[in-house]
Amino acid sequence: MNWRVKALWNLAEAFGVIRPVRDQTYPKDPNPEHWKTINGSHVHMDKNGNYDGGAGGKFNGRHHYGPNWRQKAALMNRLTAALHKGIKPQNVVPKATNQGNNGGKSRNGAIINTGKGQNPKPREPSSMGEWATELKKYGADVNFSKINDKVGMANAKEIYEVISENPKIANFINKYGVIVDAKPLGGAHGVTSYYLNPTFGKIRITLDQKSHDSIEAAEKRADLYEKSGFKMPCDKAHAPHYTESHELGHMIEAIVCYERLKNATWVTSKEFKQETNKIKREIIKCAKDIDPNTNFRNYKQYLSDYGKTNPREFFAECYANYRCGKANILGKAIGLWIERWNKNV
């Protein structure tokens, strides 16, 4: 980052216009009527209709609200131009291949220990340290030192599979990076933070330290949530990474919006909301392609209560269902949608 970009960046921080959007999987107030989406972030309204919280506890009327909005908009345009001028393009990760038949190399060419045979199967990392090293090669900074090691490894493997199986996701993370870690989150099991322009900062996924302290706790929580209808169906073996799969869904939808709104210098709340609604309709159409009996009137019978709160949670919940071993029609539909998205270069 050259001195001009750094100066503009510091000024933007002072104005409060590059703070990240946050998606939480477990809002403290479960009533969806008390929450609105502004700039892609949940904000909470009090009984008088005034915004009193949300956005990760940092709601401050940023972007297109409050004083100095003209100066903020002008600053963002200058910062965007400076970043595009001052940042060199990076190499793109090649399309994913069948790792089991690639001569014992990872998708970026790094050697992995293998067994003997004509088509040796790569050895899966056996510790969080090995997983972190492997994921670093793809642009993912993963630190699960604060959660149970077995839970951490299950989540690390999920990150690896999602990146390596999706060329567009791999390309994005290779270029911009992603941070995944764990810490105490209070009322949320997980949270995803991202900027309204990928050049401003990395996407960050954080898992709650307390609710990821054991495999057994994750299995019990997933079973309880499925039976209550709050979350989507989940196989026991995939329960440790359900929350992360949900958060990865938020990451993927953000990547799609970056791709589709790449010509916009300022992604407003309206544009973001329109795009997530459009994506939701596309997924339901995919469900109809799989099963003609599924339509816009009855799709909710397959959706969790949390997935019904807004289009972003719809995407994240469907994606978690797709990744967690008990995919229903919506889980299969988002799988088809992602397959088509990856092919649409």
Side-chain angles (χ1 to χ4, degrees):
M1 185 180 293
N2 62 36
W3 69 270
R4 291 186 179 87
V5 175
K6 187 175 182 179
L8 285 168
W9 186 279
N10 292 336
L11 185 58
E13 285 185 324
F15 266 103
V17 294
I18 59 170
R19 294 175 183 171
V21 174
R22 291 164 64 87
D23 261 311
Q24 296 196 69
T25 67
Y26 192 55
K28 293 182 179 179
D29 184 348
N31 188 338
E33 295 182 359
H34 298 166
W35 294 86
K36 299 295 180 182
T37 300
I38 292 179
N39 291 339
S41 179
H42 277 124
V43 294
H44 188 264
M45 293 193 306
D46 62 21
K47 61 182 181 180
N48 298 317
N50 299 314
Y51 297 114
D52 65 351
K58 297 181 179 179
F59 178 73
N60 64 352
R62 62 188 179 275
H63 306 312
H64 57 283
Y65 295 90
N68 301 321
W69 68 270
R70 293 184 185 276
Q71 295 94 319
K72 291 180 182 182
L75 173 61
M76 292 311 300
N77 288 333
R78 290 165 57 200
L79 179 58
T80 300
L83 284 167
H84 282 300
K85 184 177 180 180
I87 298 176
K88 296 180 180 180
Q90 301 179 33
N91 294 330
V92 176
V93 174
K95 288 188 176 181
T97 60
N98 185 341
Q99 187 177 351
N101 296 302
N102 64 1
K105 295 183 179 180
S106 68
R107 290 171 179 79
N108 67 346
I111 301 295
I112 300 178
N113 294 330
T114 65
K116 296 181 180 180
Q118 186 175 1
N119 293 306
K121 183 178 180 180
R123 180 181 68 82
E124 184 175 293
S126 58
S127 69
M128 262 314 306
E130 289 184 5
W131 270 118
T133 299
E134 185 65 21
L135 288 165
K136 185 73 173 180
K137 299 173 186 176
Y138 294 85
D141 296 312
V142 178
N143 181 359
F144 286 146
S145 61
K146 293 185 178 180
I147 60 176
N148 176 274
D149 196 54
K150 291 183 178 180
V151 176
M153 289 178 65
N155 282 276
K157 182 178 180 180
E158 173 71 353
I159 297 167
Y160 175 80
E161 290 181 355
V162 169
I163 294 175
S164 61
E165 293 172 6
N166 295 277
K168 284 192 175 183
I169 297 172
N171 290 344
F172 179 91
I173 292 176
N174 181 66
K175 184 175 181 179
Y176 296 108
V178 64
I179 299 172
V180 188
D181 58 10
K183 65 181 181 181
L185 291 178
H189 295 317
V191 61
T192 298
S193 302
Y194 51 94
Y195 293 83
L196 298 180
N197 186 312
T199 61
F200 296 158
K202 295 180 181 180
I203 293 175
R204 188 182 197 115
I205 294 173
T206 300
L207 301 181
D208 176 50
Q209 179 180 338
K210 184 177 180 180
S211 56
H212 289 79
D213 59 355
S214 71
I215 294 287
E216 294 74 20
E219 292 173 347
K220 184 177 180 180
R221 181 172 64 252
D223 181 61
L224 177 64
Y225 280 166
E226 178 182 344
K227 289 178 178 177
S228 70
F230 181 65
K231 292 286 188 176
M232 298 286 273
C234 172
D235 186 84
K236 183 177 180 180
H238 296 277
H241 65 76
Y242 185 99
T243 295
E244 183 181 69
S245 296
H246 176 107
E247 298 302 332
L248 287 168
H250 284 309
M251 178 192 76
I252 294 169
E253 189 167 39
I255 293 172
V256 176
C257 288
Y258 289 150
E259 177 186 79
R260 294 186 176 186
L261 301 172
K262 58 186 176 184
N263 294 323
T265 56
W266 190 249
V267 183
T268 66
S269 173
K270 182 179 179 181
E271 288 172 323
F272 191 92
K273 183 176 181 180
Q274 287 175 340
E275 204 58 45
T276 56
N277 271 302
K278 182 179 178 182
I279 292 169
K280 177 181 176 180
R281 291 194 298 270
E282 291 169 358
I283 294 170
I284 296 173
K285 288 180 180 178
C286 285
K288 186 174 178 62
D289 289 343
I290 297 172
D291 180 3
N293 293 320
T294 305
N295 53 55
F296 289 92
R297 296 184 300 275
N298 64 15
Y299 75 90
K300 287 186 179 180
Q301 66 181 301
Y302 305 107
L303 187 61
S304 66
D305 289 342
Y306 194 58
K308 296 173 185 176
T309 56
N310 60 58
R312 289 180 300 109
E313 301 303 346
F314 169 89
F315 189 101
E317 280 293 279
C318 290
Y319 189 72
N321 176 244
Y322 167 61
R323 291 295 307 172
C324 290
K326 293 176 71 173
N328 61 23
I329 187 64
L330 292 179
K332 294 175 182 177
I334 200 170
L336 176 60
W337 182 89
I338 288 176
E339 179 183 348
R340 292 173 176 176
W341 171 64
N342 272 306
K343 290 180 179 179
N344 183 22
V345 179

